[in-house]
Amino acid sequence: MNSYRTLEAWRRAHAAALLVLETTDRVNAPRTWALFDQLKRAAISVEANIVEGYALGTVPLCRRHLRIAFGSAAEAECLVRLAGERGYLERVCVEKLETILGDTMRALRGLMRSPPSRD
């Protein structure tokens, strides 16, 4: 049986979640709390929904969770842009996060077309 860890979408989502956590944990300002909390939740949701969809083992359930993951990735991308525009994140961090989230969404689109098999 293959592991969800072999999925490129999961690897990218995991890297994005780690980068979001690392980046936002460095900023300790009350004005950023709500935005960063939502960003962390969205980034974690991407990875978690890929794993959950994979674990459920049926194509319809997998696609459902991949769509949720895609929505969470789009949400995270929006929040990253907002944080950058407000000056809460450095431009270099914003660019890196936008790139990895964009790559994650492209990989998710491919998985939605052809869901993974656990055989």
Side-chain angles (χ1 to χ4, degrees):
M1 173 154 82
N2 288 329
S3 168
Y4 65 85
R5 291 183 195 115
T6 64
L7 300 174
E8 186 63 28
W10 177 82
R11 282 188 253 147
R12 291 177 187 273
H14 183 68
L18 288 173
L19 185 57
V20 163
L21 292 170
E22 175 187 317
T23 302
T24 57
D25 284 350
R26 280 191 248 141
V27 179
N28 189 13
R31 71 182 188 278
T32 65
W33 189 86
L35 179 62
F36 283 0
D37 183 60
Q38 189 65 27
L39 174 55
K40 290 174 189 181
R41 289 171 186 268
I44 292 166
S45 177
V46 178
E47 164 175 24
N49 273 289
I50 293 168
V51 172
E52 188 172 355
Y54 182 85
L56 291 173
T58 70
V59 169
L61 288 175
C62 186
R63 278 197 174 117
R64 177 177 185 270
H65 284 275
L66 292 173
R67 283 192 305 270
I68 293 168
F70 188 86
S72 293
E75 178 184 3
E77 185 181 53
C78 169
L79 295 169
V80 164
R81 173 164 284 165
L82 182 60
E85 289 172 357
R86 294 290 301 155
Y88 300 160
L89 293 176
E90 295 177 11
R91 186 75 219 146
V92 102
C93 291
V94 170
E95 290 170 358
K96 191 170 185 179
L97 283 167
E98 285 178 337
T99 297
I100 197 163
L101 288 165
D103 291 345
T104 301
M105 287 190 284
R106 278 187 288 285
L108 282 166
R109 275 192 208 103
L111 276 181
M112 286 187 278
R113 281 191 296 275
S114 180
S117 171
R118 294 187 314 154
D119 298 334

Short mmCIF file of all heavy atoms in Angstrom, two decimals, residues 75-117:
data_model
loop_
_atom_site.label_atom_id
_atom_site.label_comp_id
_atom_site.label_asym_id
_atom_site.label_seq_id
_atom_site.Cartn_x
_atom_site.Cartn_y
_atom_site.Cartn_z
N GLU A 75 -7.61 29.93 0.39
CA GLU A 75 -7.78 30.80 1.55
C GLU A 75 -6.43 31.22 2.12
O GLU A 75 -6.20 32.40 2.41
CB GLU A 75 -8.60 30.09 2.63
CG GLU A 75 -8.78 30.88 3.89
CD GLU A 75 -9.51 30.12 4.99
OE1 GLU A 75 -9.83 28.92 4.81
OE2 GLU A 75 -9.74 30.72 6.05
N ALA A 76 -5.53 30.27 2.28
CA ALA A 76 -4.20 30.57 2.81
C ALA A 76 -3.47 31.56 1.90
O ALA A 76 -2.83 32.50 2.38
CB ALA A 76 -3.39 29.29 2.98
N GLU A 77 -3.58 31.36 0.59
CA GLU A 77 -2.93 32.26 -0.35
C GLU A 77 -3.47 33.68 -0.20
O GLU A 77 -2.70 34.66 -0.20
CB GLU A 77 -3.14 31.75 -1.78
CG GLU A 77 -2.40 32.55 -2.82
CD GLU A 77 -2.65 32.01 -4.22
OE1 GLU A 77 -3.84 31.87 -4.60
OE2 GLU A 77 -1.67 31.75 -4.92
N CYS A 78 -4.77 33.81 -0.06
CA CYS A 78 -5.40 35.12 0.14
C CYS A 78 -4.89 35.78 1.42
O CYS A 78 -4.58 36.97 1.44
CB CYS A 78 -6.92 34.93 0.18
SG CYS A 78 -7.82 36.38 0.72
N LEU A 79 -4.82 35.01 2.50
CA LEU A 79 -4.38 35.54 3.79
C LEU A 79 -2.90 35.93 3.77
O LEU A 79 -2.51 36.93 4.40
CB LEU A 79 -4.66 34.53 4.89
CG LEU A 79 -6.15 34.24 5.14
CD1 LEU A 79 -6.31 33.03 6.05
CD2 LEU A 79 -6.85 35.45 5.70
N VAL A 80 -2.10 35.18 3.04
CA VAL A 80 -0.68 35.53 2.89
C VAL A 80 -0.55 36.87 2.18
O VAL A 80 0.22 37.74 2.61
CB VAL A 80 0.09 34.42 2.13
CG1 VAL A 80 1.43 34.92 1.63
CG2 VAL A 80 0.26 33.20 3.00
N ARG A 81 -1.31 37.03 1.12
CA ARG A 81 -1.27 38.30 0.38
C ARG A 81 -1.70 39.46 1.28
O ARG A 81 -1.06 40.52 1.31
CB ARG A 81 -2.16 38.22 -0.85
CG ARG A 81 -2.28 39.59 -1.55
CD ARG A 81 -2.81 39.49 -2.91
NE ARG A 81 -1.70 38.98 -3.71
CZ ARG A 81 -1.82 38.48 -4.92
NH1 ARG A 81 -2.98 38.39 -5.48
NH2 ARG A 81 -0.76 38.06 -5.58
N LEU A 82 -2.76 39.26 2.03
CA LEU A 82 -3.24 40.30 2.95
C LEU A 82 -2.19 40.64 4.00
O LEU A 82 -1.93 41.82 4.27
CB LEU A 82 -4.54 39.83 3.61
CG LEU A 82 -5.22 40.81 4.57
CD1 LEU A 82 -5.60 42.10 3.86
CD2 LEU A 82 -6.46 40.14 5.17
N ALA A 83 -1.58 39.62 4.57
CA ALA A 83 -0.53 39.85 5.58
C ALA A 83 0.65 40.62 4.98
O ALA A 83 1.23 41.49 5.63
CB ALA A 83 -0.07 38.52 6.16
N GLY A 84 0.98 40.30 3.74
CA GLY A 84 2.07 41.02 3.07
C GLY A 84 1.71 42.47 2.80
O GLY A 84 2.51 43.37 3.03
N GLU A 85 0.48 42.71 2.34
CA GLU A 85 0.05 44.07 2.05
C GLU A 85 -0.03 44.92 3.31
O GLU A 85 0.17 46.13 3.26
CB GLU A 85 -1.30 44.05 1.34
CG GLU A 85 -1.20 43.53 -0.08
CD GLU A 85 -2.55 43.33 -0.76
OE1 GLU A 85 -3.60 43.53 -0.11
OE2 GLU A 85 -2.55 42.95 -1.95
N ARG A 86 -0.31 44.30 4.44
CA ARG A 86 -0.37 45.03 5.71
C ARG A 86 1.01 45.19 6.35
O ARG A 86 1.15 45.86 7.36
CB ARG A 86 -1.29 44.32 6.70
CG ARG A 86 -2.75 44.31 6.30
CD ARG A 86 -3.39 45.67 6.38
NE ARG A 86 -3.28 46.17 7.75
CZ ARG A 86 -3.29 47.45 8.08
NH1 ARG A 86 -3.41 48.36 7.17
NH2 ARG A 86 -3.18 47.82 9.33
N GLY A 87 2.02 44.56 5.76
CA GLY A 87 3.37 44.66 6.29
C GLY A 87 3.66 43.72 7.45
O GLY A 87 4.65 43.88 8.15
N TYR A 88 2.81 42.72 7.64
CA TYR A 88 3.00 41.76 8.73
C TYR A 88 4.02 40.68 8.36
O TYR A 88 4.60 40.06 9.24
CB TYR A 88 1.69 41.08 9.10
CG TYR A 88 0.60 42.00 9.57
CD1 TYR A 88 -0.72 41.59 9.53
CD2 TYR A 88 0.86 43.28 10.06
CE1 TYR A 88 -1.74 42.42 9.98
CE2 TYR A 88 -0.15 44.11 10.49
CZ TYR A 88 -1.46 43.68 10.45
OH TYR A 88 -2.47 44.49 10.88
N LEU A 89 4.20 40.45 7.06
CA LEU A 89 5.19 39.49 6.58
C LEU A 89 6.11 40.18 5.59
O LEU A 89 5.66 41.02 4.80
CB LEU A 89 4.50 38.30 5.87
CG LEU A 89 3.66 37.36 6.71
CD1 LEU A 89 2.99 36.32 5.81
CD2 LEU A 89 4.49 36.68 7.77
N GLU A 90 7.36 39.79 5.61
CA GLU A 90 8.32 40.33 4.65
C GLU A 90 7.99 39.85 3.25
O GLU A 90 7.49 38.74 3.05
CB GLU A 90 9.73 39.89 5.03
CG GLU A 90 10.21 40.45 6.35
CD GLU A 90 11.59 39.95 6.73
OE1 GLU A 90 12.27 39.33 5.89
OE2 GLU A 90 11.98 40.19 7.88
N ARG A 91 8.29 40.69 2.27
CA ARG A 91 7.98 40.39 0.87
C ARG A 91 8.56 39.04 0.43
O ARG A 91 7.94 38.29 -0.28
CB ARG A 91 8.53 41.52 -0.02
CG ARG A 91 8.14 41.40 -1.46
CD ARG A 91 6.68 41.77 -1.67
NE ARG A 91 6.09 40.86 -2.64
CZ ARG A 91 4.84 40.43 -2.62
NH1 ARG A 91 4.02 40.83 -1.69
NH2 ARG A 91 4.39 39.59 -3.52
N VAL A 92 9.78 38.74 0.86
CA VAL A 92 10.43 37.49 0.47
C VAL A 92 9.64 36.28 1.00
O VAL A 92 9.48 35.28 0.30
CB VAL A 92 11.90 37.49 0.93
CG1 VAL A 92 12.18 36.69 2.15
CG2 VAL A 92 12.82 37.12 -0.16
N CYS A 93 9.10 36.39 2.21
CA CYS A 93 8.28 35.31 2.78
C CYS A 93 6.97 35.18 2.02
O CYS A 93 6.51 34.07 1.75
CB CYS A 93 7.98 35.58 4.25
SG CYS A 93 9.42 35.45 5.32
N VAL A 94 6.37 36.30 1.69
CA VAL A 94 5.12 36.30 0.94
C VAL A 94 5.32 35.60 -0.41
O VAL A 94 4.53 34.73 -0.80
CB VAL A 94 4.57 37.73 0.75
CG1 VAL A 94 3.41 37.76 -0.23
CG2 VAL A 94 4.17 38.33 2.09
N GLU A 95 6.38 35.96 -1.10
CA GLU A 95 6.64 35.36 -2.41
C GLU A 95 6.87 33.86 -2.31
O GLU A 95 6.35 33.09 -3.12
CB GLU A 95 7.84 36.05 -3.06
CG GLU A 95 7.55 37.46 -3.50
CD GLU A 95 8.77 38.24 -3.93
OE1 GLU A 95 9.90 37.70 -3.86
OE2 GLU A 95 8.61 39.42 -4.30
N LYS A 96 7.62 33.45 -1.31
CA LYS A 96 7.89 32.02 -1.12
C LYS A 96 6.60 31.26 -0.80
O LYS A 96 6.34 30.20 -1.37
CB LYS A 96 8.92 31.83 -0.01
CG LYS A 96 9.47 30.44 0.09
CD LYS A 96 10.65 30.39 1.04
CE LYS A 96 11.27 29.01 1.03
NZ LYS A 96 12.41 28.91 1.90
N LEU A 97 5.78 31.82 0.09
CA LEU A 97 4.52 31.16 0.45
C LEU A 97 3.56 31.14 -0.73
O LEU A 97 2.89 30.13 -0.96
CB LEU A 97 3.89 31.86 1.65
CG LEU A 97 4.52 31.54 2.99
CD1 LEU A 97 4.06 32.51 4.07
CD2 LEU A 97 4.21 30.09 3.40
N GLU A 98 3.47 32.23 -1.48
CA GLU A 98 2.59 32.25 -2.65
C GLU A 98 3.02 31.20 -3.67
O GLU A 98 2.17 30.52 -4.27
CB GLU A 98 2.56 33.64 -3.29
CG GLU A 98 1.75 34.64 -2.51
CD GLU A 98 1.77 36.03 -3.12
OE1 GLU A 98 2.71 36.38 -3.87
OE2 GLU A 98 0.82 36.77 -2.83
N THR A 99 4.31 31.04 -3.86
CA THR A 99 4.81 30.05 -4.81
C THR A 99 4.46 28.63 -4.36
O THR A 99 3.93 27.85 -5.14
CB THR A 99 6.34 30.18 -4.97
OG1 THR A 99 6.63 31.47 -5.52
CG2 THR A 99 6.90 29.10 -5.87
N ILE A 100 4.74 28.32 -3.10
CA ILE A 100 4.49 26.95 -2.64
C ILE A 100 3.00 26.65 -2.58
O ILE A 100 2.57 25.54 -2.88
CB ILE A 100 5.21 26.66 -1.31
CG1 ILE A 100 5.28 25.16 -1.07
CG2 ILE A 100 4.54 27.35 -0.14
CD1 ILE A 100 6.28 24.75 -0.02
N LEU A 101 2.18 27.64 -2.22
CA LEU A 101 0.73 27.42 -2.21
C LEU A 101 0.19 27.26 -3.63
O LEU A 101 -0.69 26.43 -3.87
CB LEU A 101 0.03 28.54 -1.46
CG LEU A 101 0.22 28.52 0.05
CD1 LEU A 101 -0.20 29.85 0.68
CD2 LEU A 101 -0.53 27.35 0.69
N GLY A 102 0.72 28.04 -4.56
CA GLY A 102 0.32 27.88 -5.96
C GLY A 102 0.70 26.51 -6.50
O GLY A 102 -0.10 25.85 -7.19
N ASP A 103 1.89 26.04 -6.16
CA ASP A 103 2.33 24.70 -6.56
C ASP A 103 1.43 23.63 -5.94
O ASP A 103 1.09 22.63 -6.58
CB ASP A 103 3.78 24.44 -6.14
CG ASP A 103 4.78 25.28 -6.90
OD1 ASP A 103 4.42 25.86 -7.96
OD2 ASP A 103 5.94 25.37 -6.45
N THR A 104 1.04 23.85 -4.69
CA THR A 104 0.16 22.91 -4.01
C THR A 104 -1.19 22.85 -4.71
O THR A 104 -1.73 21.75 -4.94
CB THR A 104 -0.04 23.32 -2.53
OG1 THR A 104 1.24 23.35 -1.88
CG2 THR A 104 -0.96 22.36 -1.79
N MET A 105 -1.74 23.99 -5.09
CA MET A 105 -3.04 24.00 -5.77
C MET A 105 -2.97 23.32 -7.14
O MET A 105 -3.90 22.61 -7.52
CB MET A 105 -3.57 25.43 -5.88
CG MET A 105 -4.06 25.96 -4.54
SD MET A 105 -4.95 27.52 -4.61
CE MET A 105 -3.61 28.66 -4.85
N ARG A 106 -1.87 23.51 -7.84
CA ARG A 106 -1.71 22.82 -9.13
C ARG A 106 -1.67 21.30 -8.93
O ARG A 106 -2.30 20.54 -9.67
CB ARG A 106 -0.46 23.30 -9.86
CG ARG A 106 -0.68 24.59 -10.61
CD ARG A 106 0.52 24.97 -11.47
NE ARG A 106 1.66 25.42 -10.67
CZ ARG A 106 1.74 26.60 -10.07
NH1 ARG A 106 0.75 27.46 -10.17
NH2 ARG A 106 2.80 26.94 -9.38
N ALA A 107 -0.93 20.86 -7.92
CA ALA A 107 -0.86 19.43 -7.63
C ALA A 107 -2.23 18.89 -7.20
O ALA A 107 -2.60 17.77 -7.58
CB ALA A 107 0.19 19.16 -6.55
N LEU A 108 -2.97 19.67 -6.44
CA LEU A 108 -4.31 19.25 -6.02
C LEU A 108 -5.26 19.12 -7.22
O LEU A 108 -6.06 18.19 -7.28
CB LEU A 108 -4.89 20.22 -5.00
CG LEU A 108 -4.35 20.07 -3.58
CD1 LEU A 108 -4.72 21.27 -2.73
CD2 LEU A 108 -4.87 18.78 -2.96
N ARG A 109 -5.15 20.05 -8.17
CA ARG A 109 -5.99 19.95 -9.38
C ARG A 109 -5.74 18.62 -10.09
O ARG A 109 -6.67 17.96 -10.54
CB ARG A 109 -5.69 21.11 -10.32
CG ARG A 109 -6.46 22.34 -10.01
CD ARG A 109 -6.35 23.36 -11.17
NE ARG A 109 -6.49 24.68 -10.63
CZ ARG A 109 -5.50 25.55 -10.41
NH1 ARG A 109 -4.27 25.24 -10.73
NH2 ARG A 109 -5.74 26.74 -9.91
N GLY A 110 -4.47 18.24 -10.19
CA GLY A 110 -4.14 16.97 -10.83
C GLY A 110 -4.71 15.78 -10.06
O GLY A 110 -5.23 14.84 -10.66
N LEU A 111 -4.63 15.83 -8.74
CA LEU A 111 -5.18 14.74 -7.93
C LEU A 111 -6.69 14.67 -8.04
O LEU A 111 -7.27 13.59 -8.02
CB LEU A 111 -4.79 14.93 -6.45
CG LEU A 111 -3.45 14.42 -6.02
CD1 LEU A 111 -3.25 14.66 -4.52
CD2 LEU A 111 -3.28 12.94 -6.33
N MET A 112 -7.36 15.81 -8.12
CA MET A 112 -8.82 15.80 -8.26
C MET A 112 -9.24 15.15 -9.57
O MET A 112 -10.26 14.47 -9.64
CB MET A 112 -9.38 17.22 -8.14
CG MET A 112 -9.37 17.73 -6.72
SD MET A 112 -10.20 19.32 -6.51
CE MET A 112 -8.95 20.47 -7.02
N ARG A 113 -8.43 15.34 -10.62
CA ARG A 113 -8.73 14.70 -11.91
C ARG A 113 -8.49 13.19 -11.84
O ARG A 113 -9.19 12.41 -12.46
CB ARG A 113 -7.88 15.31 -13.01
CG ARG A 113 -8.39 16.63 -13.52
CD ARG A 113 -7.68 17.07 -14.78
NE ARG A 113 -6.26 17.33 -14.60
CZ ARG A 113 -5.73 18.47 -14.18
NH1 ARG A 113 -6.52 19.49 -13.91
NH2 ARG A 113 -4.44 18.62 -14.05
N SER A 114 -7.45 12.82 -11.11
CA SER A 114 -7.08 11.40 -11.01
C SER A 114 -6.71 11.09 -9.55
O SER A 114 -5.54 11.12 -9.19
CB SER A 114 -5.89 11.14 -11.94
OG SER A 114 -5.49 9.81 -11.87
N PRO A 115 -7.73 10.79 -8.72
CA PRO A 115 -7.47 10.55 -7.30
C PRO A 115 -6.52 9.39 -7.07
O PRO A 115 -6.47 8.43 -7.87
CB PRO A 115 -8.85 10.23 -6.73
CG PRO A 115 -9.81 10.79 -7.70
CD PRO A 115 -9.14 10.71 -9.05
N PRO A 116 -5.74 9.45 -6.00
CA PRO A 116 -4.76 8.39 -5.71
C PRO A 116 -5.43 7.08 -5.34
O PRO A 116 -6.54 7.04 -4.81
CB PRO A 116 -3.98 8.96 -4.53
CG PRO A 116 -4.92 9.90 -3.87
CD PRO A 116 -5.76 10.48 -4.97
N SER A 117 -4.72 6.01 -5.62
CA SER A 117 -5.19 4.68 -5.25
C SER A 117 -4.32 4.15 -4.12
O SER A 117 -3.11 4.36 -4.12
CB SER A 117 -5.08 3.75 -6.46
OG SER A 117 -5.32 2.43 -6.08
#
